[in-house]
Amino acid sequence: MDFLADCRTRLAFDLVGNTWNPVVLWALRNGPRRHGELRTLIGGISAKVLTETVRRLAGYGFVTHHNGHYALTELGETFLGPIEAFGTWTATHGDQVQNPGKS
């Protein structure tokens, strides 16, 4: 399989390339949450960035917003597997990855 700039695989990398996309999706895995609950659960995310992220994820069709709660769509739920796979890989191999910013 070739990984060309316009291939569908690039879409997956674009989705996880934004730091907050997978974090917000993972935070919603156990059910709907209010904006403030999400901020508390995630930690380290500003209200503005969280709002931008959930709007972007809603645009992708991954998240819905009803009655003040954000929730995963069926499509959003299908992306939890790849997020979990990245987490598993990182838990296993993260210490082996060289960080060029640190000596």
Side-chain angles (χ1 to χ4, degrees):
M1 173 187 278
D2 292 327
F3 294 105
L4 303 174
D6 61 348
C7 75
R8 292 201 177 242
T9 304
R10 182 174 177 207
L11 172 62
F13 291 126
D14 287 345
L15 292 170
V16 295
N18 177 291
T19 300
W20 296 112
N21 286 349
V23 173
V24 170
L25 291 172
W26 193 252
L28 289 170
R29 75 189 181 284
N30 292 323
R33 304 262 184 190
R34 292 181 142 321
H35 192 274
E37 291 175 310
L38 272 176
R39 279 194 67 209
T40 300
L41 182 63
I42 293 168
I45 188 170
S46 70
K48 179 183 180 226
V49 170
L50 178 56
T51 298
E52 291 169 352
T53 302
V54 292
R55 285 182 181 162
R56 182 173 46 254
L57 292 169
Y60 290 144
F62 283 8
V63 171
T64 61
H65 185 232
H66 295 291
N67 299 322
H69 288 82
Y70 296 99
L72 293 176
T73 62
E74 286 185 37
L75 181 62
E77 288 179 9
T78 68
F79 207 66
L80 294 176
I83 293 170
E84 186 171 19
F86 272 108
T88 300
W89 183 89
T90 303
T92 302
H93 302 287
D95 291 339
Q96 298 169 9
V97 176
Q98 303 270 334
N99 187 340
K102 294 186 177 180
S103 301

